[in-house]
Amino acid sequence: MSLNSNWMRVCSAWIVGTALGCGPKTPGGEDTTGGEDPGSSSESGSTGSGATVPTEGPTEPGQTSSTSHGQDTSAGSTTSEEPAPGTTEGEIPTDPGPYQPGIDGFLIVEELRSFAGSTMIDAGAGALAQFFHAAGAQGFMTGDVLDPFEGVEDCGVFVFDTDGVGTSDDVTFLGADEVRVEVAGAMLTMEHGSDPFYHWLGFDPQDDPAPGTRFAFEVRGGLVGDADLPGPVVPPELSFTAPDFGAPIGRSDLPLQWTGTGDVPLDLKLVISVSPQGSRQWTEIRCRMTDDGSFTIPAAVLAKVPVDGFASIYVRRHLDEEQTDNGSTYLARGTSALDIHAGFGDACDSPPDNMTACSAAAEQINAVREACGLLPDPLAAQCPTFLADLCVDCTGYYACVAAGWSCEPDGLHIDIGTCECE
């Protein structure tokens, strides 16, 4: 099973939002989810109009590509609306991810757990590899700074709009003929697309890595050249033990508790939008937390989020090493990753009946899945309990999503198009 199959399985289980990994990867190593949803997936290998496949890079070896976050990639574009009172419009640096000056490629082993509310909808692991030359200048997005981000043990609040996305770093991609990774004592060849810029492999469940496991890589041929590398080490497992995301996140203090510790701070990104699949404008809370097992997002930070809606929480624990062979230097990164999709906003006295609407859509979707020979997804995975208390009216959204699922002669198709909440 490929790593992309794992991503698709997450997408199918969570009909009211896009799990991390369902969106195409940007060259910055981040998913584009959080702004407009870049698409949905097809489990059969056949694709609907919104189907997602791993990014393969430019069309020719050595071609240059510019990364972007959001949808508008025009250089130097700015937001079209005036900043709200008390805010600052400006350039907000993007996370450069593993695309770093002096690095010729990355080798990543990641284990990921995804939740819809308090229900785990997927867990799995896989390997990624890509090779490149990075220009070294960090890119930016434009938006409103509601609270500046000031380093470790601090949070910032930013409002973004896809009409105001700046340019990111230029990255020149290089192809390898073959990349192999050692899994359970065997060297396995990683998959790649029609152009060999992006290599991936999903692990079978029995091979999911234990903390401390090292994964050797072999790189052969192409513009990259040969390399034999010890590869990354998987860090301690990262999992939240509190709070219970079965209820919406309110605007009071949010105490977080998690398993494991590390020497490098954890970066948390909390993305809030008015629609489960994202919207043209969204708010991000970014926190950098000492990896000691607990942190509280202050009420003063949460109070600055301008809308109620749907939240996606992304947290990664990394173990990084630089490894060199045959004149090239690679970033070997072991990652324990956590994605949680939750509701956001204080509970209201008479919430819309989102749960009934979602349950009806889930029944319709499961009928389509069964028609295509697929197992139905549990209701708790598709319609998490926070929907019962969410104030945002998305009752029409779920029927729209369900209408985009169909079983065709060539397999399952999913296209949620422009489904939105009221």
Side-chain angles (χ1 to χ4, degrees), residues 33-48:
T33 52
E36 272 192 327
D37 187 352
S40 55
S41 68
S42 166
E43 290 202 19
S44 66
S46 63
T47 59

Side-chain angles (χ1 to χ4, degrees), residues 35 67-83 87-95 138-146 157-168 280-284 286:
T67 73
S68 64
H69 294 245
Q71 295 296 316
D72 187 346
T73 58
S74 56
S77 62
T78 59
T79 51
S80 59
E81 298 181 359
E82 293 296 323
T87 66
T88 302
E89 182 180 9
E91 296 179 0
I92 303 165
T94 59
D95 179 359
Q138 187 172 5
F140 66 91
M141 295 181 68
T142 58
D144 294 337
V145 181
L146 306 186
V157 185
F158 313 93
V159 177
F160 296 105
D161 191 306
T162 53
D163 290 331
V165 178
T167 58
S168 260
R280 291 197 63 83
Q281 186 177 80
W282 69 98
T283 302
E284 290 185 10
R286 301 181 189 174

Side-chain angles (χ1 to χ4, degrees), residues 152-325:
V152 180
E153 296 293 280
D154 187 60
C155 297
V157 185
F158 313 93
V159 177
F160 296 105
D161 191 306
T162 53
D163 290 331
V165 178
T167 58
S168 260
D169 310 336
D170 285 336
V171 179
T172 301
F173 290 87
L174 304 174
D177 290 340
E178 182 180 69
V179 181
R180 299 199 297 168
V181 58
E182 184 179 15
V183 181
M187 297 302 298
L188 304 181
T189 300
M190 301 173 70
E191 300 178 48
H192 60 77
S194 57
D195 293 313
F197 300 109
Y198 187 52
H199 300 253
W200 69 94
L201 179 71
F203 299 164
D204 289 332
Q206 68 269 18
D207 296 328
D208 284 353
T213 304
R214 185 180 290 276
F215 288 82
F217 279 74
E218 295 177 352
V219 183
R220 295 290 182 268
L223 297 179
V224 178
D226 295 348
D228 294 280
L229 302 154
V233 175
V234 177
E237 179 178 288
L238 173 65
S239 182
F240 278 140
T241 56
D244 179 0
F245 292 99
I249 299 168
R251 286 182 167 80
S252 56
D253 285 352
L254 181 63
L256 304 173
Q257 296 181 359
W258 61 85
T259 60
T261 60
D263 296 331
V264 178
L266 295 179
D267 287 319
L268 176 147
K269 182 164 67 173
L270 171 59
V271 180
I272 302 105
S273 66
V274 296
S275 174
Q277 61 167 316
S279 60
R280 291 197 63 83
Q281 186 177 80
W282 69 98
T283 302
E284 290 185 10
I285 295 176
R286 301 181 189 174
C287 301
R288 180 159 294 163
M289 313 174 299
T290 301
D291 191 5
D292 58 4
S294 65
F295 179 82
T296 296
I297 301 179
V301 168
L302 296 166
K304 293 182 180 181
V305 177
V307 297
D308 290 351
F310 294 81
S312 298
I313 303 169
Y314 312 132
V315 190
R316 303 287 183 272
R317 173 180 285 141
H318 297 309
L319 272 180
D320 287 353
E321 298 178 14
E322 289 189 9
Q323 299 176 356
T324 301
D325 190 29

Side-chain angles (χ1 to χ4, degrees), residues 382-403:
Q382 299 190 64
C383 303
T385 56
F386 69 75
L387 290 177
D389 296 317
L390 196 65
C391 292
V392 177
D393 187 352
C394 280
T395 52
Y397 165 84
Y398 303 105
C400 178
V401 169

